[in-house]
Amino acid sequence: MILNLTPHPIRLYANEREDGNDDLEPYLREVIEPEPTPARLATFEASSGMWPELVEFGHAQNLPPKRHGYQYIVSLVVALALADRRSDLLVPYREVRNASGTVIGCRSLAQPV
């Protein structure tokens, strides 16, 4: 089972889907709706009023423990922060973009290693 722990739906498209089309339907294989609470990295602001601000990115929040048979779609920053400890995290890969260049989906999911 794959659960989406990002704050937005993940649209999975077939490889044939081309970029530059504003219509969301062509070659759409599946939409994975988000769970109620997204996984995020905790932050601690080490400086205030400085430029650039110094920010420490900490442990993942709202990420369930590993469970047999489950994989979780998370943001790339969450997956990269935990890549050496979690083999159950997936990220959108091979993005699909609309006519204005905004990401509207992906052609695949990847496991960062």
Side-chain angles (χ1 to χ4, degrees):
M1 172 175 277
I2 296 177
L3 298 178
N4 177 4
L5 299 182
T6 73
H8 47 80
I10 300 295
R11 291 180 187 86
L12 288 171
Y13 288 95
N15 289 333
E16 294 80 14
R17 171 65 192 231
E18 294 182 8
D19 289 336
N21 186 346
D22 288 331
D23 186 352
L24 298 177
E25 294 302 318
Y27 297 103
L28 180 64
R29 293 187 345 218
E30 181 179 3
V31 177
I32 303 171
E33 295 295 334
E35 295 297 308
T37 306
R40 302 207 184 271
L41 285 186
T43 58
F44 171 75
E45 293 184 13
S47 68
S48 181
M50 292 179 58
W51 190 92
E53 290 192 40
L54 302 177
V55 179
E56 180 181 324
F57 292 90
H59 299 284
Q61 297 176 320
N62 306 317
L63 184 63
K66 286 179 82 170
R67 291 179 9 202
H68 179 72
Y70 282 79
Q71 291 181 295
Y72 304 99
I73 302 172
V74 297
S75 69
L76 182 58
V77 296
V78 170
L80 290 175
L82 299 170
D84 62 341
R85 292 170 285 190
R86 297 283 299 251
S87 60
D88 58 340
L89 303 181
L90 303 172
V91 296
Y93 184 62
R94 298 180 55 231
E95 292 84 4
V96 173
R97 297 178 183 276
N98 65 12
S100 62
T102 302
V103 174
I104 59 169
C106 61
R107 294 176 184 90
S108 184
L109 296 172
Q111 177 189 336
V113 293

